Amino acid sequence: MSKGALLIISGPSGAGKSTVCRQAALRGDVYLSISATTRRKRPGESEADYDFLSVEEFERLIALEAFLEYANVHGNYYGTLKAPVFESLDKGRSVFLEIDVQGGAQVRQSYEGAIRVFMLPPSKAALKERLLGRGTETAAEFEKRMENAIAEIAQSKDYDYLIVNDTIEETVQMLLAVTKASEQRVKNHLDFIETFL
Ligand code: 5GP
């Protein structure tokens, strides 16, 4: 039985990760991991966006070592539970983890075969435009977002693949191509090879 590939997708907010991951997961039959968080649900969000947990519940799961990775971002916990990810990989279905570089580094340490993909908008000007485009922030909040984005980009240099999100369609195709290539790595097919020996 072949194993699925584990892909970590990171990039600054405004790079378009969520839209691309959702579409590629649907088309490529990839399991898009749902993170657990202790932050409050925003209007319009549902259990399909996050697994919303209490701090007590989250900390109980940390103690049980149930997380593949977790982080505290802006005072809230965010994390990826091991069980659904490994169940999917074992069934041969690949997984997308849309997580920040900090989480990506943790996963890479505990799961050596994880492939890390970094997504960027086509230029710094486009990044600025996309962050401004949300139009919900004050100037100070925008500056903070821009600063965070640049700090995250600076940590991308040891990622495996870079995908520039110019048009959604091309970016989805590119992510699916990287997924296919990752699935074909020999280490995902050792059981199959054994059947010939
Ligand atoms: P938001 O609250 O806007 O949905 O997400 C805030 C930040 O948390 C984003 O930078 C997002 O990438 C990060 N995040 C979401 N889920 C996870 C997760 O499972 N693990 C880690 N480490 N970060 C996450």
Side-chain angles (χ1 to χ4, degrees):
M1 179 68 169
S2 297
K3 275 179 78 98
L6 180 59
L7 284 93
I8 295 160
I9 295 108
S10 307
S13 53
K17 285 168 300 181
S18 307
T19 312
V20 169
C21 287
R22 226 177 295 131
Q23 291 198 17
L26 208 62
R27 267 200 253 172
D29 188 28
V30 172
Y31 169 61
L32 177 57
S33 165
I34 298 172
S35 299
T37 185
T38 57
R39 87 147 160 72
R40 261 183 295 157
K41 206 186 277 184
R42 293 182 189 136
E45 282 185 333
S46 72
E47 307 302 318
D49 299 298
Y50 278 109
D51 197 356
F52 295 95
L53 303 179
S54 67
V55 173
E56 295 69 37
E57 177 70 355
F58 203 103
E59 288 179 344
R60 194 181 66 84
L61 290 167
I62 294 173
L64 289 172
E65 297 185 2
F67 287 104
L68 184 56
E69 63 79 35
Y70 70 92
N72 198 306
V73 186
H74 317 307
N76 292 306
Y77 283 123
Y78 292 85
T80 308
L81 287 163
K82 286 177 188 169
V85 170
F86 290 136
E87 273 164 30
S88 182
L89 294 177
D90 287 344
K91 277 192 247 162
R93 189 174 182 214
S94 294
V95 177
F96 289 157
L97 301 183
E98 192 196 322
I99 55 177
D100 63 354
V101 284
Q102 201 187 335
Q106 280 184 56
V107 175
R108 185 62 174 255
Q109 264 186 0
S110 58
Y111 193 86
E112 193 224 328
I115 300 291
R116 288 186 295 171
V117 181
F118 203 77
M119 199 177 293
L120 277 176
S123 64
K124 193 167 179 177
L127 173 66
K128 223 176 209 172
E129 209 173 281
R130 290 186 195 181
L131 285 181
L132 273 172
R134 300 194 166 177
T136 51
E137 289 101 1
T138 62
E141 278 165 351
F142 167 73
E143 286 305 325
K144 184 80 198 142
R145 275 178 167 274
M146 197 65 195
E147 228 171 77
N148 288 344
I150 289 162
E152 185 136 9
I153 294 165
Q155 295 173 72
S156 68
K157 293 179 186 170
D158 63 341
Y159 267 57
D160 301 297
Y161 293 96
L162 175 74
I163 294 183
V164 174
N165 185 10
D166 198 349
T167 68
I168 300 272
E169 177 55 30
E170 273 177 337
T171 312
V172 168
Q173 296 281 2
M174 228 176 320
L175 180 56
L176 286 172
V178 169
T179 305
K180 262 281 153 247
S182 304
E183 286 168 349
Q184 297 315 124
R185 299 206 319 162
V186 165
K187 63 174 62 170
N188 293 328
H189 301 280
L190 296 177
D191 290 351
F192 179 65
I193 292 172
E194 275 307 317
T195 65
F196 288 80
L197 305 178

